[in-house]
PDB file of all heavy atoms in Angstrom:
ATOM      1  N   TRP A   1      -3.822   9.713   3.062  1.00  0.00           N
ATOM      2  CA  TRP A   1      -4.336   9.400   1.722  1.00  0.00           C
ATOM      3  C   TRP A   1      -5.034  10.610   1.106  1.00  0.00           C
ATOM      4  O   TRP A   1      -4.735  10.995  -0.035  1.00  0.00           O
ATOM      5  CB  TRP A   1      -5.294   8.217   1.773  1.00  0.00           C
ATOM      6  CG  TRP A   1      -5.693   7.793   0.385  1.00  0.00           C
ATOM      7  CD1 TRP A   1      -6.811   8.156  -0.290  1.00  0.00           C
ATOM      8  CD2 TRP A   1      -4.928   6.966  -0.489  1.00  0.00           C
ATOM      9  NE1 TRP A   1      -6.798   7.605  -1.553  1.00  0.00           N
ATOM     10  CE2 TRP A   1      -5.664   6.870  -1.699  1.00  0.00           C
ATOM     11  CE3 TRP A   1      -3.712   6.300  -0.370  1.00  0.00           C
ATOM     12  CZ2 TRP A   1      -5.200   6.130  -2.788  1.00  0.00           C
ATOM     13  CZ3 TRP A   1      -3.255   5.558  -1.450  1.00  0.00           C
ATOM     14  CH2 TRP A   1      -3.989   5.482  -2.640  1.00  0.00           C
ATOM     15  N   LEU A   2      -5.950  11.208   1.839  1.00  0.00           N
ATOM     16  CA  LEU A   2      -6.667  12.361   1.299  1.00  0.00           C
ATOM     17  C   LEU A   2      -5.762  13.578   1.169  1.00  0.00           C
ATOM     18  O   LEU A   2      -6.038  14.487   0.386  1.00  0.00           O
ATOM     19  CB  LEU A   2      -7.883  12.680   2.162  1.00  0.00           C
ATOM     20  CG  LEU A   2      -8.984  11.609   2.160  1.00  0.00           C
ATOM     21  CD1 LEU A   2     -10.156  12.038   3.055  1.00  0.00           C
ATOM     22  CD2 LEU A   2      -9.481  11.320   0.747  1.00  0.00           C
ATOM     23  N   GLY A   3      -4.686  13.600   1.936  1.00  0.00           N
ATOM     24  CA  GLY A   3      -3.682  14.649   1.813  1.00  0.00           C
ATOM     25  C   GLY A   3      -2.708  14.405   0.684  1.00  0.00           C
ATOM     26  O   GLY A   3      -1.748  15.152   0.512  1.00  0.00           O
ATOM     27  N   GLU A   4      -2.950  13.335  -0.081  1.00  0.00           N
ATOM     28  CA  GLU A   4      -2.189  13.002  -1.287  1.00  0.00           C
ATOM     29  C   GLU A   4      -0.718  12.727  -1.020  1.00  0.00           C
ATOM     30  O   GLU A   4       0.158  13.098  -1.792  1.00  0.00           O
ATOM     31  CB  GLU A   4      -2.364  14.095  -2.354  1.00  0.00           C
ATOM     32  CG  GLU A   4      -3.822  14.277  -2.767  1.00  0.00           C
ATOM     33  CD  GLU A   4      -4.030  15.309  -3.862  1.00  0.00           C
ATOM     34  OE1 GLU A   4      -3.191  16.222  -3.983  1.00  0.00           O
ATOM     35  OE2 GLU A   4      -5.031  15.190  -4.588  1.00  0.00           O
ATOM     36  N   GLU A   5      -0.462  12.049   0.106  1.00  0.00           N
ATOM     37  CA  GLU A   5       0.898  11.570   0.356  1.00  0.00           C
ATOM     38  C   GLU A   5       1.326  10.648  -0.775  1.00  0.00           C
ATOM     39  O   GLU A   5       0.500   9.922  -1.353  1.00  0.00           O
ATOM     40  CB  GLU A   5       0.959  10.818   1.684  1.00  0.00           C
ATOM     41  CG  GLU A   5       0.789  11.685   2.913  1.00  0.00           C
ATOM     42  CD  GLU A   5       2.036  12.500   3.238  1.00  0.00           C
ATOM     43  OE1 GLU A   5       3.123  12.140   2.746  1.00  0.00           O
ATOM     44  OE2 GLU A   5       1.910  13.492   3.968  1.00  0.00           O
ATOM     45  N   LYS A   6       2.602  10.650  -1.085  1.00  0.00           N
ATOM     46  CA  LYS A   6       3.109   9.858  -2.211  1.00  0.00           C
ATOM     47  C   LYS A   6       3.729   8.537  -1.790  1.00  0.00           C
ATOM     48  O   LYS A   6       3.788   7.588  -2.568  1.00  0.00           O
ATOM     49  CB  LYS A   6       4.157  10.667  -2.990  1.00  0.00           C
ATOM     50  CG  LYS A   6       3.633  11.984  -3.536  1.00  0.00           C
ATOM     51  CD  LYS A   6       2.470  11.789  -4.481  1.00  0.00           C
ATOM     52  CE  LYS A   6       1.991  13.107  -5.074  1.00  0.00           C
ATOM     53  NZ  LYS A   6       0.775  12.938  -5.899  1.00  0.00           N
ATOM     54  N   ILE A   7       4.196   8.464  -0.527  1.00  0.00           N
ATOM     55  CA  ILE A   7       4.878   7.272  -0.038  1.00  0.00           C
ATOM     56  C   ILE A   7       4.216   6.808   1.254  1.00  0.00           C
ATOM     57  O   ILE A   7       3.895   7.615   2.133  1.00  0.00           O
ATOM     58  CB  ILE A   7       6.378   7.547   0.229  1.00  0.00           C
ATOM     59  CG1 ILE A   7       7.074   7.969  -1.065  1.00  0.00           C
ATOM     60  CG2 ILE A   7       7.048   6.312   0.826  1.00  0.00           C
ATOM     61  CD1 ILE A   7       7.110   6.897  -2.152  1.00  0.00           C
ATOM     62  N   PHE A   8       4.015   5.484   1.358  1.00  0.00           N
ATOM     63  CA  PHE A   8       3.378   4.900   2.539  1.00  0.00           C
ATOM     64  C   PHE A   8       4.242   3.762   3.064  1.00  0.00           C
ATOM     65  O   PHE A   8       4.738   2.935   2.294  1.00  0.00           O
ATOM     66  CB  PHE A   8       1.983   4.367   2.188  1.00  0.00           C
ATOM     67  CG  PHE A   8       1.012   5.444   1.806  1.00  0.00           C
ATOM     68  CD1 PHE A   8       0.978   5.936   0.513  1.00  0.00           C
ATOM     69  CD2 PHE A   8       0.147   5.982   2.752  1.00  0.00           C
ATOM     70  CE1 PHE A   8       0.087   6.941   0.155  1.00  0.00           C
ATOM     71  CE2 PHE A   8      -0.746   6.987   2.402  1.00  0.00           C
ATOM     72  CZ  PHE A   8      -0.773   7.465   1.101  1.00  0.00           C
ATOM     73  N   ASN A   9       4.419   3.728   4.378  1.00  0.00           N
ATOM     74  CA  ASN A   9       5.149   2.646   5.025  1.00  0.00           C
ATOM     75  C   ASN A   9       4.157   1.677   5.661  1.00  0.00           C
ATOM     76  O   ASN A   9       3.263   2.101   6.402  1.00  0.00           O
ATOM     77  CB  ASN A   9       6.103   3.192   6.094  1.00  0.00           C
ATOM     78  CG  ASN A   9       7.278   3.929   5.479  1.00  0.00           C
ATOM     79  OD1 ASN A   9       8.043   3.350   4.714  1.00  0.00           O
ATOM     80  ND2 ASN A   9       7.413   5.203   5.791  1.00  0.00           N
ATOM     81  N   VAL A  10       4.322   0.400   5.357  1.00  0.00           N
ATOM     82  CA  VAL A  10       3.418  -0.626   5.857  1.00  0.00           C
ATOM     83  C   VAL A  10       4.224  -1.639   6.663  1.00  0.00           C
ATOM     84  O   VAL A  10       5.270  -2.112   6.210  1.00  0.00           O
ATOM     85  CB  VAL A  10       2.688  -1.340   4.700  1.00  0.00           C
ATOM     86  CG1 VAL A  10       1.695  -2.361   5.260  1.00  0.00           C
ATOM     87  CG2 VAL A  10       1.974  -0.324   3.814  1.00  0.00           C
ATOM     88  N   GLU A  11       3.723  -1.970   7.847  1.00  0.00           N
ATOM     89  CA  GLU A  11       4.398  -2.940   8.708  1.00  0.00           C
ATOM     90  C   GLU A  11       3.871  -4.341   8.442  1.00  0.00           C
ATOM     91  O   GLU A  11       2.657  -4.542   8.356  1.00  0.00           O
ATOM     92  CB  GLU A  11       4.187  -2.572  10.178  1.00  0.00           C
ATOM     93  CG  GLU A  11       4.969  -3.446  11.141  1.00  0.00           C
ATOM     94  CD  GLU A  11       4.866  -2.946  12.577  1.00  0.00           C
ATOM     95  OE1 GLU A  11       4.829  -1.721  12.775  1.00  0.00           O
ATOM     96  OE2 GLU A  11       4.827  -3.792  13.480  1.00  0.00           O
ATOM     97  N   THR A  12       4.768  -5.302   8.285  1.00  0.00           N
ATOM     98  CA  THR A  12       4.340  -6.687   8.103  1.00  0.00           C
ATOM     99  C   THR A  12       3.862  -7.251   9.439  1.00  0.00           C
ATOM    100  O   THR A  12       4.236  -6.765  10.506  1.00  0.00           O
ATOM    101  CB  THR A  12       5.476  -7.567   7.557  1.00  0.00           C
ATOM    102  OG1 THR A  12       6.540  -7.603   8.513  1.00  0.00           O
ATOM    103  CG2 THR A  12       6.029  -7.025   6.242  1.00  0.00           C
ATOM    104  N   SER A  13       3.047  -8.286   9.361  1.00  0.00           N
ATOM    105  CA  SER A  13       2.454  -8.859  10.579  1.00  0.00           C
ATOM    106  C   SER A  13       3.438  -9.711  11.365  1.00  0.00           C
ATOM    107  O   SER A  13       3.233  -9.984  12.545  1.00  0.00           O
ATOM    108  CB  SER A  13       1.239  -9.701  10.205  1.00  0.00           C
ATOM    109  OG  SER A  13       1.634 -10.807   9.419  1.00  0.00           O
ATOM    110  N   GLY A  14       4.498 -10.179  10.703  1.00  0.00           N
ATOM    111  CA  GLY A  14       5.457 -11.054  11.369  1.00  0.00           C
ATOM    112  C   GLY A  14       5.104 -12.528  11.273  1.00  0.00           C
ATOM    113  O   GLY A  14       5.754 -13.371  11.893  1.00  0.00           O
ATOM    114  N   SER A  15       4.076 -12.865  10.490  1.00  0.00           N
ATOM    115  CA  SER A  15       3.647 -14.268  10.390  1.00  0.00           C
ATOM    116  C   SER A  15       4.656 -15.139   9.648  1.00  0.00           C
ATOM    117  O   SER A  15       4.694 -16.352   9.833  1.00  0.00           O
ATOM    118  CB  SER A  15       2.281 -14.361   9.694  1.00  0.00           C
ATOM    119  OG  SER A  15       2.349 -13.800   8.404  1.00  0.00           O
ATOM    120  N   THR A  16       5.497 -14.525   8.810  1.00  0.00           N
ATOM    121  CA  THR A  16       6.492 -15.297   8.062  1.00  0.00           C
ATOM    122  C   THR A  16       7.920 -14.885   8.412  1.00  0.00           C
ATOM    123  O   THR A  16       8.857 -15.215   7.707  1.00  0.00           O
ATOM    124  CB  THR A  16       6.267 -15.137   6.552  1.00  0.00           C
ATOM    125  OG1 THR A  16       6.350 -13.739   6.210  1.00  0.00           O
ATOM    126  CG2 THR A  16       4.920 -15.682   6.134  1.00  0.00           C
ATOM    127  N   GLY A  17       8.096 -14.168   9.504  1.00  0.00           N
ATOM    128  CA  GLY A  17       9.423 -13.728   9.909  1.00  0.00           C
ATOM    129  C   GLY A  17       9.317 -12.518  10.814  1.00  0.00           C
ATOM    130  O   GLY A  17       8.245 -12.152  11.271  1.00  0.00           O
ATOM    131  N   GLU A  18      10.455 -11.888  11.082  1.00  0.00           N
ATOM    132  CA  GLU A  18      10.464 -10.707  11.931  1.00  0.00           C
ATOM    133  C   GLU A  18       9.668  -9.580  11.275  1.00  0.00           C
ATOM    134  O   GLU A  18       9.797  -9.350  10.070  1.00  0.00           O
ATOM    135  CB  GLU A  18      11.904 -10.244  12.167  1.00  0.00           C
ATOM    136  CG  GLU A  18      12.714 -11.148  13.086  1.00  0.00           C
ATOM    137  CD  GLU A  18      12.159 -11.161  14.507  1.00  0.00           C
ATOM    138  OE1 GLU A  18      11.768 -10.074  15.002  1.00  0.00           O
ATOM    139  OE2 GLU A  18      12.113 -12.238  15.109  1.00  0.00           O
ATOM    140  N   PRO A  19       8.804  -8.889  12.049  1.00  0.00           N
ATOM    141  CA  PRO A  19       8.070  -7.757  11.477  1.00  0.00           C
ATOM    142  C   PRO A  19       9.035  -6.718  10.919  1.00  0.00           C
ATOM    143  O   PRO A  19      10.107  -6.471  11.479  1.00  0.00           O
ATOM    144  CB  PRO A  19       7.297  -7.196  12.677  1.00  0.00           C
ATOM    145  CG  PRO A  19       7.194  -8.337  13.638  1.00  0.00           C
ATOM    146  CD  PRO A  19       8.465  -9.122  13.467  1.00  0.00           C
ATOM    147  N   LYS A  20       8.657  -6.128   9.802  1.00  0.00           N
ATOM    148  CA  LYS A  20       9.487  -5.101   9.191  1.00  0.00           C
ATOM    149  C   LYS A  20       8.587  -4.105   8.466  1.00  0.00           C
ATOM    150  O   LYS A  20       7.406  -4.375   8.215  1.00  0.00           O
ATOM    151  CB  LYS A  20      10.471  -5.725   8.195  1.00  0.00           C
ATOM    152  CG  LYS A  20       9.810  -6.511   7.083  1.00  0.00           C
ATOM    153  CD  LYS A  20      10.821  -7.174   6.175  1.00  0.00           C
ATOM    154  CE  LYS A  20      10.128  -8.012   5.097  1.00  0.00           C
ATOM    155  NZ  LYS A  20      11.100  -8.667   4.214  1.00  0.00           N
ATOM    156  N   LYS A  21       9.129  -2.950   8.153  1.00  0.00           N
ATOM    157  CA  LYS A  21       8.374  -1.936   7.419  1.00  0.00           C
ATOM    158  C   LYS A  21       8.799  -1.949   5.956  1.00  0.00           C
ATOM    159  O   LYS A  21       9.988  -2.038   5.638  1.00  0.00           O
ATOM    160  CB  LYS A  21       8.588  -0.556   8.036  1.00  0.00           C
ATOM    161  CG  LYS A  21       7.893  -0.378   9.377  1.00  0.00           C
ATOM    162  CD  LYS A  21       7.949   1.050   9.859  1.00  0.00           C
ATOM    163  CE  LYS A  21       7.149   1.210  11.163  1.00  0.00           C
ATOM    164  NZ  LYS A  21       7.187   2.601  11.671  1.00  0.00           N
ATOM    165  N   ILE A  22       7.805  -1.859   5.077  1.00  0.00           N
ATOM    166  CA  ILE A  22       8.043  -1.850   3.645  1.00  0.00           C
ATOM    167  C   ILE A  22       7.470  -0.564   3.077  1.00  0.00           C
ATOM    168  O   ILE A  22       6.363  -0.152   3.436  1.00  0.00           O
ATOM    169  CB  ILE A  22       7.402  -3.068   2.956  1.00  0.00           C
ATOM    170  CG1 ILE A  22       7.915  -4.363   3.583  1.00  0.00           C
ATOM    171  CG2 ILE A  22       7.696  -3.064   1.458  1.00  0.00           C
ATOM    172  CD1 ILE A  22       7.259  -5.612   3.039  1.00  0.00           C
ATOM    173  N   GLU A  23       8.191   0.059   2.172  1.00  0.00           N
ATOM    174  CA  GLU A  23       7.764   1.312   1.577  1.00  0.00           C
ATOM    175  C   GLU A  23       7.089   1.064   0.232  1.00  0.00           C
ATOM    176  O   GLU A  23       7.596   0.322  -0.607  1.00  0.00           O
ATOM    177  CB  GLU A  23       8.978   2.230   1.388  1.00  0.00           C
ATOM    178  CG  GLU A  23       8.641   3.619   0.884  1.00  0.00           C
ATOM    179  CD  GLU A  23       9.868   4.498   0.805  1.00  0.00           C
ATOM    180  OE1 GLU A  23      10.269   5.056   1.849  1.00  0.00           O
ATOM    181  OE2 GLU A  23      10.436   4.613  -0.302  1.00  0.00           O
ATOM    182  N   PHE A  24       5.918   1.688   0.044  1.00  0.00           N
ATOM    183  CA  PHE A  24       5.197   1.573  -1.218  1.00  0.00           C
ATOM    184  C   PHE A  24       4.843   2.968  -1.720  1.00  0.00           C
ATOM    185  O   PHE A  24       4.621   3.893  -0.937  1.00  0.00           O
ATOM    186  CB  PHE A  24       3.895   0.777  -1.041  1.00  0.00           C
ATOM    187  CG  PHE A  24       4.093  -0.665  -0.685  1.00  0.00           C
ATOM    188  CD1 PHE A  24       3.875  -1.100   0.612  1.00  0.00           C
ATOM    189  CD2 PHE A  24       4.495  -1.590  -1.644  1.00  0.00           C
ATOM    190  CE1 PHE A  24       4.052  -2.430   0.952  1.00  0.00           C
ATOM    191  CE2 PHE A  24       4.664  -2.920  -1.310  1.00  0.00           C
ATOM    192  CZ  PHE A  24       4.452  -3.347  -0.010  1.00  0.00           C
ATOM    193  N   SER A  25       4.737   3.083  -3.024  1.00  0.00           N
ATOM    194  CA  SER A  25       4.301   4.349  -3.606  1.00  0.00           C
ATOM    195  C   SER A  25       2.777   4.401  -3.660  1.00  0.00           C
ATOM    196  O   SER A  25       2.105   3.355  -3.643  1.00  0.00           O
ATOM    197  CB  SER A  25       4.851   4.514  -5.022  1.00  0.00           C
ATOM    198  OG  SER A  25       4.225   3.582  -5.909  1.00  0.00           O
ATOM    199  N   ARG A  26       2.258   5.594  -3.749  1.00  0.00           N
ATOM    200  CA  ARG A  26       0.815   5.777  -3.885  1.00  0.00           C
ATOM    201  C   ARG A  26       0.310   5.044  -5.141  1.00  0.00           C
ATOM    202  O   ARG A  26      -0.746   4.425  -5.126  1.00  0.00           O
ATOM    203  CB  ARG A  26       0.500   7.269  -3.977  1.00  0.00           C
ATOM    204  CG  ARG A  26      -0.993   7.590  -3.995  1.00  0.00           C
ATOM    205  CD  ARG A  26      -1.240   9.086  -4.161  1.00  0.00           C
ATOM    206  NE  ARG A  26      -2.649   9.406  -3.995  1.00  0.00           N
ATOM    207  CZ  ARG A  26      -3.213   9.688  -2.842  1.00  0.00           C
ATOM    208  NH1 ARG A  26      -2.494   9.700  -1.730  1.00  0.00           N
ATOM    209  NH2 ARG A  26      -4.511   9.969  -2.772  1.00  0.00           N
ATOM    210  N   GLU A  27       1.090   5.122  -6.223  1.00  0.00           N
ATOM    211  CA  GLU A  27       0.687   4.480  -7.475  1.00  0.00           C
ATOM    212  C   GLU A  27       0.550   2.974  -7.306  1.00  0.00           C
ATOM    213  O   GLU A  27      -0.343   2.350  -7.906  1.00  0.00           O
ATOM    214  CB  GLU A  27       1.709   4.792  -8.572  1.00  0.00           C
ATOM    215  CG  GLU A  27       1.696   6.215  -9.075  1.00  0.00           C
ATOM    216  CD  GLU A  27       2.325   7.207  -8.104  1.00  0.00           C
ATOM    217  OE1 GLU A  27       3.066   6.760  -7.181  1.00  0.00           O
ATOM    218  OE2 GLU A  27       2.074   8.427  -8.254  1.00  0.00           O
ATOM    219  N   GLN A  28       1.393   2.374  -6.489  1.00  0.00           N
ATOM    220  CA  GLN A  28       1.301   0.928  -6.255  1.00  0.00           C
ATOM    221  C   GLN A  28       0.018   0.572  -5.501  1.00  0.00           C
ATOM    222  O   GLN A  28      -0.642  -0.410  -5.820  1.00  0.00           O
ATOM    223  CB  GLN A  28       2.529   0.441  -5.477  1.00  0.00           C
ATOM    224  CG  GLN A  28       3.808   0.413  -6.301  1.00  0.00           C
ATOM    225  CD  GLN A  28       5.021   0.061  -5.458  1.00  0.00           C
ATOM    226  OE1 GLN A  28       5.270   0.683  -4.421  1.00  0.00           O
ATOM    227  NE2 GLN A  28       5.774  -0.937  -5.889  1.00  0.00           N
ATOM    228  N   LEU A  29      -0.328   1.371  -4.499  1.00  0.00           N
ATOM    229  CA  LEU A  29      -1.562   1.122  -3.754  1.00  0.00           C
ATOM    230  C   LEU A  29      -2.784   1.294  -4.651  1.00  0.00           C
ATOM    231  O   LEU A  29      -3.739   0.520  -4.575  1.00  0.00           O
ATOM    232  CB  LEU A  29      -1.653   2.042  -2.533  1.00  0.00           C
ATOM    233  CG  LEU A  29      -1.011   1.508  -1.237  1.00  0.00           C
ATOM    234  CD1 LEU A  29       0.502   1.475  -1.344  1.00  0.00           C
ATOM    235  CD2 LEU A  29      -1.419   2.362  -0.030  1.00  0.00           C
ATOM    236  N   VAL A  30      -2.750   2.317  -5.507  1.00  0.00           N
ATOM    237  CA  VAL A  30      -3.868   2.548  -6.427  1.00  0.00           C
ATOM    238  C   VAL A  30      -4.021   1.374  -7.384  1.00  0.00           C
ATOM    239  O   VAL A  30      -5.140   0.893  -7.624  1.00  0.00           O
ATOM    240  CB  VAL A  30      -3.664   3.864  -7.211  1.00  0.00           C
ATOM    241  CG1 VAL A  30      -4.648   3.958  -8.379  1.00  0.00           C
ATOM    242  CG2 VAL A  30      -3.842   5.063  -6.291  1.00  0.00           C
ATOM    243  N   ALA A  31      -2.921   0.880  -7.935  1.00  0.00           N
ATOM    244  CA  ALA A  31      -2.986  -0.229  -8.883  1.00  0.00           C
ATOM    245  C   ALA A  31      -3.570  -1.474  -8.230  1.00  0.00           C
ATOM    246  O   ALA A  31      -4.410  -2.172  -8.823  1.00  0.00           O
ATOM    247  CB  ALA A  31      -1.594  -0.527  -9.442  1.00  0.00           C
ATOM    248  N   SER A  32      -3.171  -1.766  -6.999  1.00  0.00           N
ATOM    249  CA  SER A  32      -3.695  -2.923  -6.284  1.00  0.00           C
ATOM    250  C   SER A  32      -5.188  -2.761  -6.019  1.00  0.00           C
ATOM    251  O   SER A  32      -5.980  -3.686  -6.240  1.00  0.00           O
ATOM    252  CB  SER A  32      -2.946  -3.100  -4.958  1.00  0.00           C
ATOM    253  OG  SER A  32      -3.543  -4.124  -4.183  1.00  0.00           O
ATOM    254  N   ALA A  33      -5.575  -1.583  -5.545  1.00  0.00           N
ATOM    255  CA  ALA A  33      -6.986  -1.345  -5.235  1.00  0.00           C
ATOM    256  C   ALA A  33      -7.855  -1.429  -6.484  1.00  0.00           C
ATOM    257  O   ALA A  33      -8.941  -2.022  -6.464  1.00  0.00           O
ATOM    258  CB  ALA A  33      -7.148   0.024  -4.577  1.00  0.00           C
ATOM    259  N   GLU A  34      -7.400  -0.854  -7.576  1.00  0.00           N
ATOM    260  CA  GLU A  34      -8.188  -0.872  -8.812  1.00  0.00           C
ATOM    261  C   GLU A  34      -8.372  -2.288  -9.337  1.00  0.00           C
ATOM    262  O   GLU A  34      -9.441  -2.627  -9.861  1.00  0.00           O
ATOM    263  CB  GLU A  34      -7.535   0.023  -9.860  1.00  0.00           C
ATOM    264  CG  GLU A  34      -7.686   1.507  -9.547  1.00  0.00           C
ATOM    265  CD  GLU A  34      -7.089   2.406 -10.610  1.00  0.00           C
ATOM    266  OE1 GLU A  34      -6.200   1.932 -11.358  1.00  0.00           O
ATOM    267  OE2 GLU A  34      -7.482   3.586 -10.681  1.00  0.00           O
ATOM    268  N   ALA A  35      -7.352  -3.128  -9.195  1.00  0.00           N
ATOM    269  CA  ALA A  35      -7.482  -4.522  -9.633  1.00  0.00           C
ATOM    270  C   ALA A  35      -8.533  -5.256  -8.806  1.00  0.00           C
ATOM    271  O   ALA A  35      -9.344  -6.017  -9.348  1.00  0.00           O
ATOM    272  CB  ALA A  35      -6.124  -5.230  -9.531  1.00  0.00           C
ATOM    273  N   SER A  36      -8.537  -5.017  -7.491  1.00  0.00           N
ATOM    274  CA  SER A  36      -9.539  -5.643  -6.619  1.00  0.00           C
ATOM    275  C   SER A  36     -10.941  -5.134  -6.931  1.00  0.00           C
ATOM    276  O   SER A  36     -11.902  -5.903  -6.975  1.00  0.00           O
ATOM    277  CB  SER A  36      -9.216  -5.374  -5.147  1.00  0.00           C
ATOM    278  OG  SER A  36      -8.020  -6.003  -4.771  1.00  0.00           O
ATOM    279  N   ILE A  37     -11.062  -3.832  -7.122  1.00  0.00           N
ATOM    280  CA  ILE A  37     -12.363  -3.231  -7.430  1.00  0.00           C
ATOM    281  C   ILE A  37     -12.948  -3.854  -8.689  1.00  0.00           C
ATOM    282  O   ILE A  37     -14.134  -4.196  -8.752  1.00  0.00           O
ATOM    283  CB  ILE A  37     -12.210  -1.702  -7.583  1.00  0.00           C
ATOM    284  CG1 ILE A  37     -11.948  -1.066  -6.217  1.00  0.00           C
ATOM    285  CG2 ILE A  37     -13.444  -1.086  -8.236  1.00  0.00           C
ATOM    286  CD1 ILE A  37     -11.426   0.367  -6.300  1.00  0.00           C
ATOM    287  N   GLN A  38     -12.105  -4.042  -9.697  1.00  0.00           N
ATOM    288  CA  GLN A  38     -12.570  -4.634 -10.951  1.00  0.00           C
ATOM    289  C   GLN A  38     -12.930  -6.100 -10.769  1.00  0.00           C
ATOM    290  O   GLN A  38     -13.998  -6.551 -11.196  1.00  0.00           O
ATOM    291  CB  GLN A  38     -11.487  -4.494 -12.023  1.00  0.00           C
ATOM    292  CG  GLN A  38     -11.896  -5.064 -13.383  1.00  0.00           C
ATOM    293  CD  GLN A  38     -10.811  -4.900 -14.427  1.00  0.00           C
ATOM    294  OE1 GLN A  38      -9.896  -4.079 -14.285  1.00  0.00           O
ATOM    295  NE2 GLN A  38     -10.887  -5.680 -15.488  1.00  0.00           N
ATOM    296  N   ALA A  39     -12.055  -6.862 -10.118  1.00  0.00           N
ATOM    297  CA  ALA A  39     -12.286  -8.301  -9.963  1.00  0.00           C
ATOM    298  C   ALA A  39     -13.517  -8.599  -9.125  1.00  0.00           C
ATOM    299  O   ALA A  39     -14.236  -9.572  -9.379  1.00  0.00           O
ATOM    300  CB  ALA A  39     -11.052  -8.957  -9.335  1.00  0.00           C
ATOM    301  N   LEU A  40     -13.781  -7.766  -8.113  1.00  0.00           N
ATOM    302  CA  LEU A  40     -14.893  -8.000  -7.195  1.00  0.00           C
ATOM    303  C   LEU A  40     -16.163  -7.241  -7.579  1.00  0.00           C
ATOM    304  O   LEU A  40     -17.185  -7.371  -6.905  1.00  0.00           O
ATOM    305  CB  LEU A  40     -14.474  -7.607  -5.774  1.00  0.00           C
ATOM    306  CG  LEU A  40     -13.319  -8.418  -5.176  1.00  0.00           C
ATOM    307  CD1 LEU A  40     -12.816  -7.759  -3.894  1.00  0.00           C
ATOM    308  CD2 LEU A  40     -13.735  -9.853  -4.912  1.00  0.00           C
ATOM    309  N   SER A  41     -16.084  -6.455  -8.662  1.00  0.00           N
ATOM    310  CA  SER A  41     -17.239  -5.670  -9.134  1.00  0.00           C
ATOM    311  C   SER A  41     -17.806  -4.785  -8.026  1.00  0.00           C
ATOM    312  O   SER A  41     -19.018  -4.714  -7.821  1.00  0.00           O
ATOM    313  CB  SER A  41     -18.330  -6.588  -9.695  1.00  0.00           C
ATOM    314  OG  SER A  41     -17.840  -7.359 -10.784  1.00  0.00           O
TER     315      SER A  41
END
């Protein structure tokens, strides 16, 4: 993150099926985090 990677692979827990890896962009993670930061003050 601090090295400014652009793509992150996240492994699912397997609670709803076989575990798998999903690719997300840095911008997607930022958008999710900013929404939480705002909602939770």
Side-chain angles (χ1 to χ4, degrees):
W1 187 264
L2 294 180
E4 300 182 334
E5 291 284 341
K6 302 300 183 185
I7 299 296
F8 294 83
N9 289 300
V10 183
E11 186 173 324
T12 63
S13 64
S15 59
T16 58
E18 288 295 319
K20 58 183 177 180
K21 288 189 176 180
I22 304 176
E23 185 176 278
F24 294 104
S25 69
R26 185 183 188 89
E27 289 75 17
Q28 288 174 308
L29 271 70
V30 167
S32 173
E34 288 182 337
S36 294
I37 289 165
Q38 181 179 341
L40 297 169
S41 300

